[in-house]
Amino acid sequence: MENNTYDFGLVGLGVMGRNFILNVADNDYKAFGYDLDPEKVSALIKEGGDKGRVNASGDISSFVDALSLPRKIMLLVPAGKIVDAVIESLLPYLSPDDIIIDGGNSFFTDTDRREEYLKNKGIHFFGAGVSGGAKGARKGPSIMPGGSQEAYAQVQPIFEAVAAKFKGEPCVAYLGPKSAGNYVKMVHNGIEYGLMQLITEAYDLLKKGATVSNNELHEIFTKWNNGRLQSFLIEITAEIFKKEDNLGEGHLVDKILDKAKQKGTGKWTSQNAMDLGIPVPTIDMAVSMRELSALKEDRIKANTMFSKPESILKNKKELEEKTEAALFFAFIITYTQGLHQLADASKEYDYNLKLNTIAKIWRAGCIIRAGLLEDISEAFDVDMELQNLLLSPVFKEKITSSLPAAREIVAYAANQGIPMPGLFSALSYFDAYTSGRLPLNLLQAQRDHFGSHTYERTDREGIFHTDWS
Ligand code: 6PG
């Protein structure tokens, strides 16, 4: 092995890291991997070594020495303290102007802190969200880089080669300074949580409302994926419904425990939206439902205490059509909320995000890729300053045509006791966002009544307080 000959270094040869580095090598770059686990090192050499473009080591100085200058080292390790530890272990071996890229789901303020810390040591650091799971990493993920544009320019050709392509365009673009890349990936995941929750609700509704079987669900989701709901998540859901259980009878989906886990990016999206003062209730609900799902024992007990309303079954065909429309409506609202958060964060954190570019790099490779993103990028192409998709003429017809079904499904689910908090929240968000006057005048009066918090008036300027009693 000759020193300084490898174009790209990757730390962390887990599933994502191994697939990403093989993708880099497929694109004719020489890539070198590093992991403390000798099994992962030899697995990579075995899988990619015959190409002559992939090598790996468990020795950090051999790893760093193998890379050409300025070194481009990507970290695909779990977010948190491990990222700091890896940075510390690399530092003694690096040269000025080397570049470290964090490809994990790091919290955005950690990225800002690390960039600042490494700048003082002459090392470039930036975060680049990578979406698409193992398959995406191998065949083409969507990549969301931020940070120093100068440092990104060094990596740009590699990222553009490995990223997913949408009609020939790479699904990667420089998004903005500092932690813009990690921030956008965080919100991507918030939207991911929202869409996933909505899909589970549609599944529940079809089963409870029209006794739709798994085989039928497979057919329905396959059909939906060929229409306006076309998306990666609908596509994999269709696949899930046909998977047989290899440990027993029937379909695997029925045997999976209904307690959802999370690594926290959806929760961060919600928390930060609260900090910004931007409503993202469908994402909030998706987080809450994962939490509620975890309360399995409580749910079983409560289920015996309260009976559900008598079931009134719906016509299968009709319910399928209405659910499709309601889901389409709620998908639009979920993207709307996430993108509204991005529009606001862009100002708050000086990211200078281009929402049309973000929508474009989400069209392929990532988990939330969907046909809808074409329309979303068009809406932001038409109006770069657009804050909320609901204000875009591009979405008016799509919303008005799917809205009646959303209302009908919400009413039916409420009467049947079927929990659909994602859809309910999407509809209420829409109804509130499109209300010129909300009843929050009363809330202001209450605040002033018990706490002299003051209020403004509709008919004159100024701040008022009333002695209510
Ligand atoms: C992606 C995903 C990925 C995320 C998983 C798990 O874009 O490829 O968002 O980054 O880690 O989806 O997330 P949870 O464990 O929080 O569901």
Side-chain angles (χ1 to χ4, degrees), residues 444-445 447-455 457 463-469:
Q444 281 293 80
R447 291 178 68 244
D448 192 53
H449 189 300
F450 65 65
S452 305
H453 293 301
T454 72
Y455 57 89
R457 296 180 55 103
I463 303 292
F464 295 86
H465 165 62
T466 298
D467 183 0
W468 293 88
S469 53

Side-chain angles (χ1 to χ4, degrees), residues 215 240-253:
N215 287 331
I240 288 168
F241 288 126
K242 70 165 195 245
K243 189 79 182 166
E244 303 283 339
D245 180 10
N246 60 354
L247 297 177
E249 293 287 293
H251 288 98
L252 178 57
V253 68

Side-chain angles (χ1 to χ4, degrees), residues 74-80 83 87 100-115 125-131 142-148 159 173-190 264-266 268-269 272 341-342 345 349 351 353 358 361-362:
M74 179 142 160
L75 318 183
L76 275 170
V77 298
V83 177
I87 290 171
I100 303 179
I101 306 137
D102 181 4
N105 283 328
S106 287
F107 192 57
F108 69 102
T109 54
D110 284 342
T111 299
D112 290 329
R113 168 178 60 77
R114 290 171 185 139
E115 184 186 13
F125 176 85
F126 67 86
V130 179
S131 177
S142 168
I143 312 178
M144 296 154 242
S148 140
F159 276 9
Y174 173 76
L175 297 181
K178 303 183 287 181
S179 50
N182 284 119
Y183 192 91
V184 170
K185 177 62 181 16
M186 176 184 82
V187 174
H188 164 285
N189 282 24
T265 42
W268 292 344
T269 308
N272 183 258
Q341 179 168 351
L342 286 179
Y349 305 124
Y351 287 148
L353 300 174
I358 294 171
I361 65 167
W362 284 351

Side-chain angles (χ1 to χ4, degrees), residues 16 104-105 130-134 142 144 185 188-189 192-193 196 261-267 290 365-368:
M16 286 296 284
N105 283 328
V130 179
S131 177
S142 168
M144 296 154 242
K185 177 62 181 16
H188 164 285
N189 282 24
E192 172 185 307
Y193 274 47
M196 290 170 79
K261 298 270 178 356
Q262 53 182 317
K263 293 199 198 76
T265 42
K267 183 183 75 182
R290 290 194 189 201
C366 67
I367 304 294
I368 64 167

Side-chain angles (χ1 to χ4, degrees), residues 49-282:
D50 61 341
K51 294 186 205 312
R53 294 190 296 273
V54 182
N55 208 337
S57 170
D59 175 56
I60 197 153
S61 80
S62 315
F63 165 69
V64 175
D65 286 345
L67 305 174
S68 60
L69 297 172
R71 297 182 180 89
K72 296 150 206 80
I73 301 176
M74 179 142 160
L75 318 183
L76 275 170
V77 298
K81 288 198 171 73
I82 298 183
V83 177
D84 293 304
V86 171
I87 290 171
E88 285 310 316
S89 65
L90 285 168
L91 268 178
Y93 303 96
L94 298 181
S95 313
D97 286 333
D98 281 352
I99 301 160
I100 303 179
I101 306 137
D102 181 4
N105 283 328
S106 287
F107 192 57
F108 69 102
T109 54
D110 284 342
T111 299
D112 290 329
R113 168 178 60 77
R114 290 171 185 139
E115 184 186 13
E116 216 38 52
Y117 170 69
L118 288 166
K119 202 190 278 168
N120 293 329
K121 298 184 183 297
I123 305 294
H124 298 287
F125 176 85
F126 67 86
V130 179
S131 177
K135 234 188 206 166
R138 185 72 183 86
K139 296 284 171 207
S142 168
I143 312 178
M144 296 154 242
S148 140
Q149 198 155 11
E150 186 197 336
Y152 174 64
Q154 299 278 345
V155 192
Q156 189 174 350
I158 303 180
F159 276 9
E160 288 185 353
V162 303
K165 307 290 179 302
F166 183 85
K167 295 185 181 158
E169 281 177 55
C171 289
V172 56
Y174 173 76
L175 297 181
K178 303 183 287 181
S179 50
N182 284 119
Y183 192 91
V184 170
K185 177 62 181 16
M186 176 184 82
V187 174
H188 164 285
N189 282 24
I191 296 171
E192 172 185 307
Y193 274 47
L195 303 180
M196 290 170 79
Q197 170 60 29
L198 291 165
I199 292 172
T200 67
E201 293 174 9
Y203 156 61
D204 200 24
L205 182 84
L206 289 169
K207 273 188 14 167
K208 290 180 180 152
T211 59
V212 176
S213 69
N214 286 326
N215 287 331
E216 288 169 321
L217 283 163
H218 167 72
E219 301 294 328
I220 291 171
F221 274 78
T222 305
K223 197 195 308 165
W224 286 357
N225 193 44
N226 289 321
R228 58 185 172 174
L229 280 176
Q230 184 277 314
S231 56
F232 171 72
L233 287 168
I234 295 284
E235 180 191 329
I236 62 162
T237 308
E239 248 172 63
I240 288 168
F241 288 126
K242 70 165 195 245
K243 189 79 182 166
E244 303 283 339
D245 180 10
N246 60 354
L247 297 177
E249 293 287 293
H251 288 98
L252 178 57
V253 68
D254 296 329
K255 309 284 176 58
I256 295 178
L257 185 65
D258 55 334
K259 281 165 91 167
K261 298 270 178 356
Q262 53 182 317
K263 293 199 198 76
T265 42
K267 183 183 75 182
W268 292 344
T269 308
S270 277
Q271 286 173 326
N272 183 258
M274 291 269 177
D275 290 342
L276 294 173
I278 296 296
V280 295
T282 309

